[in-house]
Structure formats: structure tokens, C-alpha cells
Amino acid sequence: METGETGELQSVSMVGRSGECQILIADPRVSRRHAMIRKQDGGFYLFDLGSFNGSYLNGVRVTAARKLESGDILNFADHEFRFQSELTEEDNPTMDDIGGSTIALIRSTPVIILVSDIKGFTSLSEKISPDDLAQIIGSWYSDCEAIMAEHGATVDKFIGDCVLAYWTKVNPQTIESSLKAARDLMAACEKTYQDRSDIFDASEANFAAGLALHTGKVAYGGMSQGEFTLLGDPVNLTFRLETLTRELGHPCVVSGDFVKAGEGVTAYTKSLGLHKVKGRAQGVEVHGLTSFPE
């Protein structure tokens, strides 16, 4: 930190002038929720959350998630921070040394998986300036984090213009929570469009997302450097289902397994039939969400 003080990053550290932020910067030029530093994929990533004055990494404005390297300089307004990575396997309490190697504590568990992806991101990148796009995508990241937290989900990771989240229990309550999260994510896209309609209209662009929900048994645990994540065929299938939203012209889809897992889910869906997805010899049952729980 610029004062010479040091602080340890959490798995998610918010940067801003709001009292809820882990890295508090009392400066009116810094937004209330300015940026986020999140641990994922074995490292720490910096996300700008649509701040007005921007977040800078080594003098370059952040327009997408950027992985931090030891020695990197982060700037928010005139406030400068240096990122220093000191994580070693010895510091990692989730892993045990065995014969000079490491083994991670991993368990297999049924989960609900959500994948949402911004539609036409390449086209948006061509039509909208990097600074404006950074604010738009940063605002979307922030909305995703808040919505997932409100509905009891964990954000596994952001992958560019895509979010992967999950619930570690499959029961009527979490099924309903996931449907409400889908509802709120769709509403957040509409709100983002309305809030920045001047930019979208001038660029003849839209802001929308596809979304998929699926249930299945996955490997869950510390895969590397204490990073907790999901692995398994259900994760891959959820990503495949999300890509079908373009082909089917339906923004939200769920798998047949998801429908079967929750009593009463059929009240919110309609069958879209069996569809071929990459990596599957047989077709996958797909349903479109037509309404959401109140």
C-alpha cells in the first residue's frame, strides 16, 4: 500500500470508499464499489466494477479481468498499491504434503450449476470504446457477485464475459433460489442497458445474456494453490447448454435433470425437445424458462 502498510487479500476483496469494502479508500474520486480482487484459477485477478475514474494495472486501464503478477502496481485515482504474491504450498492449509508432492482435499457432491454469458461480446468490443465497455462489464461483474450472494450461490469464476456459479446443495430451496437468481440476472442486463442506453443506442448495440442451469455430481475442492473450483462433465454440459440459447432463441434454458430435481419446476418451463451438444453421443433434454418464482 502507498502508506507502507501491508494487508492480506481475502478470496474476494472489494476496493472502494464504502465501509463494506475490504480495501477502503476514503476519496470521492473512488467509487463506492470501485474494483474487486478475486482469487481464482490459482491466482488473483483484478476486475474493475464499472468505476467512473477507472482502475489501472501497471499504468494501463483495466478493461477486462487481469491476472495479477508479483510486483504489479495497481492505481485507483491517485492511490497506489503493489501486489506481492507470497503464497507457497507450505502456507496452504487445504493441502497436505505426501512424499514431496501435494494432494488436495476433493469431494464429489451434487450441485446446481449456473452459467451466464454476455451475447455478442465481440461485436460489443468493436462498437463500444474500451473505457465505456470496461465500466459496463465491471458493473455486470458487480451485479453478478451481488445477485449470487443474495441467493446463496458461490461464484466459481469469471471467464471474460461469462460467469460460472453454483449451489452445493440440491433441494427445493436451492432450486427456487437458482431460478430467482436467473430472474435477477436477466433483470440486471436490462437495467445495464437502460442505465447506459446513450452508449448502446449510439453504437446500435444491445446488452443481453444467455443463461443455463443444470444439476449433476461434480468434483469439488482445492485443485491447486488452495483454489476451490468445480470439475466434471456437468460443468462442461452447462456451458454447452448456454450456447444453445442462441440457436433456440431462448435466453434462459435448463436441463431435463434440473427439471426432474425440483418439484414444481415444470410450472416455469416449456420443453424445447432433445438437442445434440458437443461431447454427447445422445441428445440432451432442454427446457426453456418461461417464468420465474416471485
Side-chain angles (χ1 to χ4, degrees):
M1 302 174 68
E2 60 183 353
T3 61
E5 300 175 10
T6 60
E8 184 176 349
L9 291 172
Q10 301 179 22
S11 58
V12 177
S13 297
M14 305 301 296
V15 181
R17 70 173 193 271
S18 169
E20 67 182 13
C21 292
Q22 288 73 38
I23 302 174
L24 180 63
I25 305 176
D27 186 326
R29 296 170 299 173
V30 174
S31 300
R32 290 183 58 81
R33 288 165 57 91
H34 194 102
M36 171 177 67
I37 301 174
R38 179 181 175 84
K39 187 179 182 185
Q40 63 181 55
D41 299 330
F44 287 90
Y45 284 74
L46 172 65
F47 302 81
D48 183 81
L49 298 180
S51 64
F52 184 79
N53 288 314
S55 303
Y56 290 81
L57 177 61
N58 299 324
V60 178
R61 185 162 185 167
V62 173
T63 58
R66 293 285 303 277
K67 185 175 183 179
L68 298 176
E69 303 292 344
S70 192
D72 279 347
I73 302 298
L74 290 67
N75 289 94
F76 312 102
D78 291 335
H79 303 268
E80 183 173 289
F81 297 78
R82 180 185 297 273
F83 174 75
Q84 188 68 40
S85 176
E86 297 179 351
L87 184 63
T88 67
E89 291 178 357
E90 289 73 18
D91 297 326
N92 187 347
T94 67
M95 306 184 72
D96 298 318
D97 287 329
I98 296 182
S101 299
T102 56
I103 184 169
L105 177 61
I106 298 173
R107 60 193 175 111
S108 181
T109 183
V111 297
I112 300 171
I113 306 166
L114 179 150
V115 170
S116 186
D117 182 57
I118 297 171
K119 294 182 178 180
F121 185 74
T122 300
S123 178
L124 284 175
S125 300
E126 294 171 348
K127 294 178 178 179
I128 297 176
S129 73
D131 281 359
D132 286 337
L133 188 61
Q135 292 187 41
I136 290 166
I137 298 302
S139 177
W140 184 73
Y141 287 153
S142 182
D143 287 341
C144 287
E145 284 277 356
I147 290 168
M148 292 299 102
E150 179 183 353
H151 295 293
T154 298
V155 174
D156 183 277
K157 58 174 66 72
F158 290 101
I159 311 168
D161 56 327
C162 178
V163 62
L164 168 64
Y166 59 91
W167 289 257
T168 54
K169 293 182 179 179
V170 182
N171 56 42
Q173 291 74 32
T174 54
I175 289 285
E176 181 172 325
S177 292
S178 66
L179 291 170
K180 289 180 177 179
R183 174 199 66 196
D184 291 350
L185 283 174
M186 293 297 101
C189 286
E190 178 61 27
K191 180 179 181 296
T192 297
Y193 178 81
Q194 294 298 332
D195 288 347
R196 308 309 300 268
S197 59
D198 54 333
I199 294 173
F200 289 115
D201 291 346
S203 306
E204 297 183 346
N206 197 4
F207 190 81
L211 185 147
L213 286 165
H214 178 47
T215 60
K217 204 168 189 179
V218 302
Y220 165 77
M223 301 303 172
S224 63
Q225 293 292 322
E227 175 67 13
F228 280 74
T229 190
L230 304 181
L231 286 177
D233 180 67
V235 180
N236 297 331
L237 179 56
T238 312
F239 278 95
R240 303 299 185 196
L241 289 172
E242 193 280 326
T243 63
L244 285 177
T245 61
R246 283 82 165 156
E247 176 184 327
L248 299 176
H250 209 292
C252 297
V253 300
V254 301
S255 67
D257 290 336
F258 181 89
V259 172
K260 294 170 186 174
E263 184 178 350
V265 173
T266 53
Y268 307 110
T269 67
K270 68 174 182 179
S271 176
L272 300 177
L274 292 174
H275 291 270
K276 182 77 173 177
V277 298
K278 186 177 179 181
R280 290 292 182 100
Q282 297 181 335
V284 176
E285 186 180 357
V286 181
H287 298 254
L289 283 175
T290 57
S291 61
F292 301 96
E294 294 299 325

